[in-house]
Amino acid sequence: MKILFYTPQSDATAWLADLRCALPEADVREWQPGDRAPADFAIVWRPPHDMLAGRSDLRAVFNLGAGVDAILALEREQPGTLPSNVPLVRLEDTGMAEQMAEYVVHAVLRYMRRFDEYALLQAEHRWHVLDPHPRESFTVGVLGLGVLGTHVARVIASFGLPVRGYSRSARHIDGIATYAGPAQLDAFLDGVKVLVNLLPHTPETHDVLNAGTFAKLADHAYLINVARGAHLVERDLLDALHTGRIAAATLDVFREEPLPAGHPFWSEPRITITPHSSALTLRAESVAQIAQKIGALTRNEPVTGIVDIARGY
Ligand code: NAP
Ligand code: GLV
């Protein structure tokens, strides 16, 4: 079995070593420009057009991330980047759900327990107890109830907070009030105190975090965007912060990454910024999952995580 590997981002050597260890029978090679030799599987992050274009030998392409928006955008820009009729398989969880829950819980509790306001009081050397947020109306709304959103929603609910979730198709999750499809979006948003975005970026979800969305939330709502920068209309967030409609935001993802020097978000004290690090791709977990799926496909068994290209996720 022959496996092609490519990532522009991290240390390919370590990935190649781990893949060879997990799949000792496979010939795993890093793709180099001009390599047209046969391969059975490709494991990629943002592959160059020439890597996979026109190949008819592949049984599957594995995306080294949960989100497939980048690879689908490459395909739109340069058709043929993905070979036709070859399944595209994404990472499912691989340790990201736990990381995402830690990140979101931190942000939710920081707002609920007013830590930022206590930090300001401390800076003024003031001893002053702030009224707690009423727990029963501190509703957390999670946009996207997939692998990550479902786990995050469950973990937040375990703190006894009211939690709602929104997805495309109807879902039932114990302890979570669920809403599905555009017809239920307004009901989902109505009165939400903390909005957490864990949607995939697709043409349907582009710009979903906008002034109209913010207007439906509870007063002084909080925004946590851990999905994609293109979900957020940045000007609308700055305006909502200035009017107080949104009290503050924690943002892990941005339209342009790294966030450019001089971007107004850097100097907005009500925005907390992290560098797309809420849930990192963990090599050991990812290699184990991909190796397990390659084994299943080789035995003609079904695998999960196959992307619906038309749907965009
Ligand atoms: P997933 O399992 O595919 O879940 C996607 C969820 O979004 C599903 O519940 C889906 O609804 C829902 N959805 C999709 N389109 C929708 C629409 N138009 N309206 C309403 N709901 C819609 O994805 P995941 O693994 O949880 O990952 C979610 C996203 O997180 C990824 O796409 C990626 O962009 C982002 N991410 C970010 C980081 C980071 O470090 N910041 C790390 C990993 C992932 P159905 O249930 O009906 O299909
Ligand atoms: C990271 O953002 C991913 O999609 O895995």
Side-chain angles (χ1 to χ4, degrees):
M1 178 204 311
K2 295 185 190 313
I3 299 178
L4 273 180
F5 179 86
Y6 177 84
T7 176
Q9 267 195 341
S10 49
D11 178 13
T13 313
W15 280 95
L16 292 166
D18 284 3
L19 283 164
R20 287 177 183 132
C21 220
L23 295 160
E25 72 286 8
D27 165 9
V28 186
R29 67 182 193 273
E30 185 176 16
W31 182 80
Q32 303 294 341
D35 178 351
R36 300 300 301 169
D40 302 292
F41 297 98
I43 303 171
V44 297
W45 182 251
R46 295 179 190 246
H49 178 263
D50 291 350
M51 178 179 178
L52 306 178
R55 278 189 176 273
S56 55
D57 47 359
L58 294 173
R59 298 186 61 176
V61 174
F62 289 88
N63 181 60
L64 281 178
V68 289
D69 49 320
I71 198 166
L72 295 186
L74 289 173
E75 171 63 24
R76 276 195 301 278
E77 284 157 23
Q78 286 191 286
T81 298
L82 285 173
S84 50
N85 302 319
V86 176
L88 173 65
V89 187
R90 71 188 191 93
L91 293 181
E92 296 175 286
D93 187 351
T94 55
M96 287 190 252
E98 188 177 52
Q99 296 176 69
M100 208 51 111
E102 290 163 356
Y103 184 102
V104 173
V105 163
H106 170 86
V108 169
L109 295 185
R110 198 175 88 199
Y111 184 47
M112 187 179 103
R113 297 301 305 266
R114 309 185 73 160
F115 282 111
D116 289 339
E117 291 162 272
Y118 280 119
L120 294 174
L121 289 169
Q122 182 179 345
E124 295 171 8
H125 298 201
R126 285 174 62 200
W127 181 276
H128 174 64
V129 177
L130 298 165
D131 289 338
H133 284 290
R135 178 174 282 269
E136 58 283 1
S137 59
F138 201 87
T139 304
V140 179
V142 181
L143 286 164
L145 285 176
V147 173
L148 303 182
T150 297
H151 183 69
V152 165
R154 283 196 175 118
V155 173
I156 295 168
S158 75
F159 285 87
L161 297 174
V163 180
R164 296 179 191 167
Y166 176 73
S167 54
R168 211 161 86 119
S169 53
R171 307 284 308 273
H172 174 81
I173 306 171
D174 283 344
I176 314 291
T178 54
Y179 301 76
Q184 293 186 2
L185 181 58
D186 284 1
F188 163 82
L189 293 170
D190 184 34
V192 160
K193 193 71 177 172
V194 180
L195 185 64
V196 181
N197 179 34
L198 268 166
L199 289 167
H201 178 234
T202 69
E204 280 180 34
T205 65
H206 186 78
D207 283 349
V208 66
L209 304 174
N210 59 44
T213 301
F214 302 151
K216 291 165 191 139
L217 304 176
D219 286 341
H220 311 296
Y222 195 98
L223 175 68
I224 302 171
N225 187 18
V226 278
R228 287 293 186 259
H231 286 129
L232 174 64
V233 181
E234 296 184 340
R235 186 69 255 165
D236 287 3
L237 175 60
L238 290 168
D239 290 347
L241 288 168
H242 289 138
T243 60
R245 172 110 289 281
I246 299 281
T250 290
L251 307 178
D252 184 49
V253 286
F254 302 90
R255 290 208 170 233
E256 187 178 345
E257 296 180 1
L259 187 63
H263 192 286
F265 284 178
W266 284 119
S267 45
E268 170 51 70
R270 289 160 291 196
I271 295 181
T272 299
I273 291 170
T274 52
H276 202 138
S277 56
S278 54
L280 301 173
T281 298
L282 303 178
R283 197 170 62 244
E285 287 83 344
S286 305
V287 165
Q289 185 174 96
I290 291 168
Q292 180 272 322
K293 289 185 181 181
I294 286 178
L297 289 169
T298 307
R299 297 187 297 276
N300 290 320
E301 292 166 8
V303 297
T304 58
I306 294 181
V307 174
D308 180 334
I309 306 277
R311 206 176 55 168
Y313 71 100

